[in-house]
């Protein structure tokens, strides 16, 4: 006999599986005690005497003490409100003298007039196993075995359009919709995915071209081949992320692997009143760095008045992260998207070169997954924050409150650091040490935008190793980025990075007016931040009404 775990958690009964079905365990016999009939209460009917011949008392163990309860309280304590009939059936057996529950008598005659054929039930399983399913990127960590079907399906439409047609083609008997729903819910961990957002532009272009009736067969075949190659390249990029994550966990003393990305901006303030929907907001930026080895997430938060969101800000967040964590490893691996303005540019390359030139790391390797298929660990972190903010925090006034929201979304994994204006450094001096090259040392052209990997080593900090594929077979292309022009000015100490912003960044006058117009909806204790941002202590106290 095998024990099955039941829900809810307060359920203290245990079920045993045998050849005759599910049988109630004798735990109830220790809590439900049968007594002789205590007292008769006349009913307001023609029958003046109660038909009960016994009565039951219900005991619940509390700190090794048996406490008597009424039937309703007993059922609620054990979560048996919807199973009261089973309790009554067992009490009926106790009155007949049974000390333990009888075996289930259903099916003894061998007559199952309403049973579905095994072939019909098996057809449901075969269809569900054959239909394409997808793993969720954002909830993969919490539900690793959860799979999803197409977003345009429901259980009813799936049964009506897919399953019924499948049974007709295979010429097999079909089950009812209720049975189909039961099998889908009880045996398969399947859901229906939400519509995609931020899809890959190349994938969409290929799919539209393939479905174009004006193209000839040869052109369609060519587009399909290009599409398949694109998907294979995207899969190889994801395999690189998985292998690096495994490397960080297995050999954390030698390799430190991080993933970096910028989250969508937070509106500050975030209000629920109608006029706020039409007003401009002050934005709060959040840059996430995910430690793939320890699975911790470091969030760097700042307001629009303290800094922008360019390559200098991204590099400053990376330097701040290294200052906080101080990883004592030889090799640093960075996984990042292909955003040219923030990460895939010569500013970040100059910063990575400085990390090996100053002997901070023996090597720094940079990986770029395929555009539209990055699916970084940071995306899951950002999704957790956005879900929590949407469900739990409809109102947020200041960047400090956004920091509280991020911490509350995952207290064990999220570590929030507020970036001050002095934390942002200008990386311009590091760029003066490097020269942009479009050719390798062997004379082959170097396509910067198509690179999938960059690598620096401390043995030769000015040699940039570039790779244009995710395969381990292909060799790196060497690019010499050393400054060769004579007379070029180089600062005396280029590694001493100056502060980028000495004063708050200006905010658009129209945005300032919109922010100040919403002050009546903000508590007085939260208004100082907006006054400092706008540089104006005067605002309109009148509440704006929607037309």
């Amino acid at each position: 006999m095998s024990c099955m775990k039941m829900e809810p958690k307060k359920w203290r009964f245990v079920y045993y599986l045998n050849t005759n079905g599910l049988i109630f365990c004798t735990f109830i016999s220790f809590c439900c005690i049968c007594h002789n009939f205590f007292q008769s209460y006349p009913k307001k009917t023609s029958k003046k005497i109660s038909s009960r011949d016994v009565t039951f008392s219900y005991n619940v163990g509390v700190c090794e003490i048996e406490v008597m309860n009424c039937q309703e309280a007993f059922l609620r304590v054990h979560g048996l409100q919807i199973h009261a009939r089973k309790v009554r059936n067992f009490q009926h057996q106790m009155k007949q003298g049974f000390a333990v529950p009888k075996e289930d008598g259903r099916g003894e005659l061998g007559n199952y007039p309403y049973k579905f054929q095994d072939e019909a039930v098996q057809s449901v399983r075969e269809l569900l196993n054959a239909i394409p399913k997808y793993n969720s990127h954002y909830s993969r960590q919490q539900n690793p075995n959860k799979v999803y079907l197409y977003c345009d399906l429901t259980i009813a439409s799936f049964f009506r359009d897919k399953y019924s047609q499948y049974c007709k083609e295979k010429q097999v008997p079909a089950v009812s919709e209720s049975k189909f729903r039961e099998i889908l819910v009880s045996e398969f961990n399947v859901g229906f995915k939400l519509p995609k957002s931020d899809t890959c532009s190349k994938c969409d272009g290929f799919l539209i071209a393939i479905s174009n009736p004006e193209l000839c067969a040869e052109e369609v075949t060519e587009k399909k081949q290009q599409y398949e190659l694109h998907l294979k390249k995207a899969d190889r990029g994801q395999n690189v992320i998985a292998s690096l994550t495994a490397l960080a966990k297995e050999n954390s003393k030698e390799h430190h692997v991080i993933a970096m990305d910028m989250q969508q901006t937070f509106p500050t303030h975030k209000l629920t009143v109608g006029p706020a929907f039409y007003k401009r907001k002050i934005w709060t930026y959040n840059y996430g760095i995910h430690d793939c080895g320890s699975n911790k997430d470091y969030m760097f938060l700042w307001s629009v008045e303290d800094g922008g969101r360019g390559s200098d800000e991204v590099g400053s967040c990376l330097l701040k992260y290294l200052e906080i964590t101080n990883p004592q490893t030889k090799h640093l691996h960075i996984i990042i998207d292909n955003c040219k303005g923030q990460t895939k540019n010569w500013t970040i390359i100059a910063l990575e070169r400085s990390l090996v030139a100053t002997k901070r790391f023996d090597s720094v390797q940079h990986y770029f997954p395929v555009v539209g298929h990055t699916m970084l660990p940071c995306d899951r972190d950002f999704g957790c924050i956005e879900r929590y903010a949407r469900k739990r925090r409809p109102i947020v006034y200041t960047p400090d409150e956004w920091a509280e929201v991020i911490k509350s979304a995952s207290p064990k994994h999220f570590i929030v650091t507020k970036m001050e204006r002095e934390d942002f450094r200008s990386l311009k001096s590091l760029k003066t040490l490097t020269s942009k090259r479009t050719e390798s040392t062997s004379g082959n052209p170097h396509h910067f935008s198509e690179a999938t990997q960059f690598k620096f080593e401390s043995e030769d900090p000015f040699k940039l190793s570039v790779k244009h594929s995710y395969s381990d077979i292909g060799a790196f292309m060497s690019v010499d980025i050393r400054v060769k022009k004579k007379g070029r000015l180089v600062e005396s100490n280029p590694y001493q990075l100056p502060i980028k912003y000495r004063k708050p960044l200006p905010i658009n006058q129209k945005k300032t007016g919109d922010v100040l117009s919403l002050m009546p909806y903000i508590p007085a204790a939260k208004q100082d931040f907006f006054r400092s941002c706008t540089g104006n202590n005067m605002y309109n106290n009148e509440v704006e009404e929607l037309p």
Side-chain angles (χ1 to χ4, degrees):
M1 293 187 296
S2 61
C3 182
M4 299 178 63
K5 190 174 181 181
M6 305 300 295
E7 290 185 359
K9 293 181 180 179
K10 291 183 179 179
W11 181 277
R12 294 182 61 186
F13 292 93
V14 181
Y15 284 85
Y16 291 98
L17 185 65
N18 63 5
T19 56
N20 293 324
L22 293 174
I23 301 178
F24 232 172
C25 180
T26 56
F27 172 79
I28 193 174
S29 63
F30 298 101
C31 300
C32 184
I33 303 175
C34 182
H35 302 278
N36 292 327
F37 188 58
F38 289 154
Q39 186 176 355
S40 176
Y41 295 93
K43 297 183 178 180
K44 297 179 180 180
T45 60
S46 59
K47 190 176 182 180
K48 301 299 182 181
I49 301 176
S50 174
S51 60
R52 293 192 301 170
D53 52 356
V54 295
T55 187
F56 291 92
S57 62
Y58 304 90
N59 299 327
V60 178
V62 180
C63 298
E64 300 183 357
I65 300 175
E66 296 293 332
V67 180
M68 185 177 294
N69 290 266
C70 64
Q71 185 187 43
E72 183 178 358
F74 175 78
L75 296 177
R76 288 183 177 274
V77 166
H78 295 89
L80 297 173
Q81 297 94 321
I82 62 175
H83 300 280
R85 182 178 177 181
K86 293 184 178 180
V87 177
R88 292 194 299 268
N89 290 339
F90 181 66
Q91 290 175 347
H92 180 68
Q93 297 177 22
M94 292 177 65
K95 289 192 296 183
Q96 295 178 353
F98 291 93
V100 295
K102 294 192 302 181
E103 292 185 356
D104 193 346
R106 292 176 295 181
E108 291 183 350
L109 299 177
N111 181 19
Y112 306 97
Y114 301 107
K115 180 181 178 182
F116 291 103
Q117 299 181 20
D118 295 338
E119 185 180 3
V121 175
Q122 187 62 26
S123 67
V124 180
R125 299 189 179 102
E126 291 177 355
L127 174 62
L128 293 175
N129 287 325
I131 196 167
K133 293 175 281 291
Y134 304 89
N135 289 318
S136 173
H137 168 64
Y138 295 98
S139 61
R140 187 183 304 167
Q141 188 172 0
Q142 292 80 10
N143 301 307
N145 299 321
K146 183 79 171 181
V147 293
Y148 294 86
L149 301 176
Y150 292 106
C151 61
D152 56 347
L153 287 177
T154 61
I155 297 180
S157 65
F158 190 16
F159 172 81
R160 183 179 60 252
D161 301 332
K162 303 290 184 181
Y163 176 68
S164 299
Q165 185 66 25
Y166 176 80
C167 292
K168 290 180 181 179
E169 293 177 356
K170 297 292 184 179
Q171 296 182 355
V172 295
V175 300
S176 65
E177 183 177 346
S178 59
K179 184 64 176 179
F180 179 85
R181 183 183 298 270
E182 177 188 342
I183 296 174
L184 177 65
V185 173
S186 61
E187 298 186 17
F188 293 85
N189 192 9
V190 176
F192 297 95
K193 59 186 296 188
L194 296 175
K196 289 184 177 180
S197 60
D198 192 19
T199 57
C200 175
S201 58
K202 286 189 176 182
C203 289
D204 293 347
F206 284 132
L207 293 175
I208 292 175
I210 292 171
S211 60
N212 187 0
E214 298 180 358
L215 294 181
C216 62
E218 295 180 356
E219 292 176 334
V220 172
T221 303
E222 182 181 358
K223 292 293 182 182
K224 287 183 178 180
Q225 293 176 352
Q226 294 176 359
Y227 180 49
E228 292 176 357
L229 290 175
H230 173 71
L231 294 180
K232 289 180 180 179
K233 186 176 181 180
D235 291 339
R236 287 195 293 267
Q238 287 301 309
N239 293 335
V240 169
I241 297 177
S243 61
L244 288 174
T245 302
L247 177 65
K249 295 180 179 179
E250 294 173 0
N251 193 359
S252 58
K253 295 182 179 180
E254 295 286 334
H255 300 271
H256 188 72
V257 181
I258 60 176
M260 302 166 51
D261 198 6
M262 174 78 74
Q263 188 175 5
Q264 290 184 352
T265 52
F266 295 135
T268 311
H269 33 64
K270 176 189 175 187
L271 304 176
T272 56
V273 296
F277 180 79
Y278 303 94
K279 301 295 183 180
R280 301 174 180 87
K281 311 292 191 305
I282 292 177
W283 299 112
T284 298
Y285 302 132
N286 180 38
Y287 197 80
I289 299 180
H290 182 95
D291 185 352
C292 298
S294 63
N295 203 29
K296 289 187 177 180
D297 311 288
Y298 295 82
M299 304 294 177
F300 299 90
L301 206 69
W302 70 93
S303 174
V304 68
E305 68 162 350
D306 294 327
R309 46 178 177 171
S311 56
D312 284 346
E313 287 77 12
V314 171
S316 299
C317 291
L318 176 58
L319 293 175
K320 190 70 175 179
Y321 167 80
L322 296 177
E323 177 185 344
I324 294 173
T325 59
N326 191 25
Q328 301 297 320
T329 57
K330 295 181 179 180
H331 309 286
L332 175 64
H333 304 268
I334 303 175
I335 310 170
I336 211 162
D337 60 9
N338 287 266
C339 181
K340 297 179 181 178
Q342 294 177 349
T343 53
K344 200 171 187 179
N345 50 58
W346 288 98
T347 302
I348 300 300
I349 286 180
L351 174 61
E352 294 175 352
R353 192 208 67 82
S354 69
L355 294 178
V356 296
T358 56
K359 305 299 181 180
R360 180 67 180 82
F361 295 98
D362 290 348
S363 69
V364 175
Q365 197 157 350
H366 204 146
Y367 304 84
F368 300 95
V370 175
V371 177
H373 299 271
T374 53
M375 291 188 290
L376 301 176
C378 302
D379 296 333
R380 294 193 290 269
D381 305 333
F382 298 154
C384 178
I385 297 171
E386 292 168 3
R387 285 193 301 270
Y388 180 84
R390 183 173 59 252
K391 296 179 180 179
R392 304 293 183 183
R393 295 293 296 270
I395 298 177
V396 181
Y397 295 111
T398 64
D400 291 338
E401 291 190 7
W402 275 120
E404 296 174 3
V405 171
I406 296 173
K407 291 178 182 178
S408 302
S410 182
K412 294 183 179 179
H413 297 91
F414 291 170
I415 302 172
V416 182
T417 301
K418 189 176 184 303
M419 295 289 287
E420 303 295 340
R421 198 174 300 120
E422 295 77 13
D423 294 329
F424 294 109
R425 302 287 174 168
S426 175
L427 307 181
K428 185 178 179 180
S429 60
L430 298 179
K431 293 176 64 176
T432 60
L433 301 176
T434 61
S435 180
K436 300 179 182 179
R437 293 282 191 273
T438 57
E439 292 184 356
S440 65
T441 54
S442 60
N444 296 323
H446 157 50
H447 301 287
F448 188 89
S449 60
E450 298 178 3
T452 60
Q453 297 181 42
F454 290 145
K455 184 178 181 181
F456 283 103
E457 295 180 343
S458 58
E459 298 176 356
D460 188 357
F462 287 99
K463 186 181 75 172
L464 172 63
S465 300
V466 185
K467 205 172 188 180
H468 292 84
S469 67
Y470 299 103
S471 175
D472 296 333
I473 301 175
F476 281 92
M477 181 186 299
S478 298
V479 180
D480 188 5
I481 60 174
R482 193 186 314 270
V483 177
K484 297 181 179 180
K485 293 182 180 180
K486 297 182 179 180
R488 185 167 181 175
L489 297 178
V490 178
E491 297 183 18
S492 57
N493 189 4
Y495 299 107
Q496 187 69 30
L497 303 177
I499 297 175
K500 185 176 180 63
Y501 304 109
R502 295 290 181 178
K503 58 182 180 179
L505 297 181
I507 298 177
N508 185 278
Q509 190 65 30
K510 292 183 179 180
K511 181 182 290 188
T512 299
D514 287 350
V515 170
L516 295 178
S517 67
L518 296 175
M519 285 297 136
Y521 309 106
I522 300 175
K526 309 291 185 181
Q527 294 180 3
D528 292 339
F529 167 75
F530 298 98
R531 289 173 178 166
S532 64
C533 289
T534 58
N536 190 346
N537 293 329
M538 302 298 295
Y539 57 90
N540 186 9
N541 283 313
E542 296 181 1
V543 175
E544 181 178 351
E545 297 291 342
L546 287 175

